[in-house]
Amino acid sequence: MEERMIEFLQAYGGAAYFLSLACNVVISVLGVVPSAFLTAANLTVFGFWPGFWVSFAGEAIGAVVSFVLYRKGLRRWSETTWLSHPKVKPLLHASGKEAFGLIFALRLLPFVPSGAVTFVAAIGRTSLSVFATASSLGKLPALWMEAYAVHQFLEAAWEGKLMLAVASIVLLWFVWRKIGQKAAG
């Protein structure tokens, strides 16, 4: 997918910046598609720092657009049972400084789904300005780590990529096995 995105962006020259931003907005609105492939394409097409800033702008704009759309269209979901989970309630009921701190912290954690944070904040009490500021500031270090890792992977020799692939497969197998043991026991 990354190669297709690189070809797509390269084909449009100067408009590639705007197309990358648009793709990031779509990814953010969908809420479940990882953006690492787009970050990798941006780094390849634009270079490290310009690619980083295009990715950051796209993710920040995408988060705000998603927040507004979720707030307008999905607020009725605020009554669903999973939103009563104790780990969701703090963000759902937070506002002001508390919401800022929660959103900022959740954006720093790479394993917390971005779409879920945006959705819960949008149907909760968080204002758009607090969300936009906290989300963007939290994305800066998280995206820098992602961009740096992707850049290092892209620059690695094939041996390093092979070792990483094997390690990933072993880790996935181990996790899958642990999940299966918990479900059986």
Side-chain angles (χ1 to χ4, degrees):
M1 190 147 184
E2 173 192 332
E3 289 298 321
R4 286 190 180 151
M5 184 56 69
I6 290 169
E7 291 170 7
F8 174 73
L9 293 175
Q10 287 174 334
Y12 286 94
Y17 290 104
F18 299 106
L19 292 172
S20 176
L21 293 174
C23 288
N24 240 321
V25 169
V26 169
I27 289 170
S28 293
V29 170
L30 293 174
V32 294
V33 178
S35 63
F37 76 93
L38 184 55
T39 300
N42 287 339
L43 296 176
T44 301
V45 173
F46 306 123
F48 184 82
W49 286 111
F52 167 80
W53 288 112
V54 169
S55 292
F56 171 72
E59 289 200 21
I61 293 167
V64 169
V65 169
S66 298
F67 181 90
V68 171
L69 291 176
Y70 294 172
R71 176 151 285 175
K72 288 189 182 296
L74 302 176
R75 215 165 204 170
R76 68 182 184 279
W77 286 20
S78 63
E79 303 302 320
T80 60
T81 56
W82 72 270
L83 289 173
S84 63
H85 191 279
K87 294 193 183 218
V88 175
K89 279 187 174 185
L91 179 56
L92 188 63
H93 299 296
S95 61
K97 290 178 184 177
E98 182 184 15
F100 181 92
L102 285 169
I103 293 164
F104 180 80
L106 290 169
R107 288 294 193 226
L108 291 173
L109 302 172
F111 53 85
V112 175
S114 184
V117 174
T118 303
F119 174 74
V120 173
I123 63 171
R125 296 181 185 160
T126 305
S127 70
L128 176 60
S129 61
V130 167
F131 175 80
T133 306
S135 180
S136 297
L137 289 175
K139 281 182 179 284
L140 263 175
L143 184 62
W144 183 84
M145 287 185 288
E146 177 185 320
Y148 183 75
V150 166
H151 179 70
Q152 291 302 311
F153 180 78
L154 292 173
E155 297 295 316
W158 72 269
E159 295 92 349
K161 291 177 183 178
L162 178 63
M163 288 179 8
L164 185 59
V166 169
S168 297
I169 290 169
V170 169
L171 181 62
L172 283 172
W173 175 79
F174 178 74
V175 169
W176 187 262
R177 202 169 131 212
K178 283 290 189 189
I179 291 171
Q181 287 174 348
K182 281 187 178 183

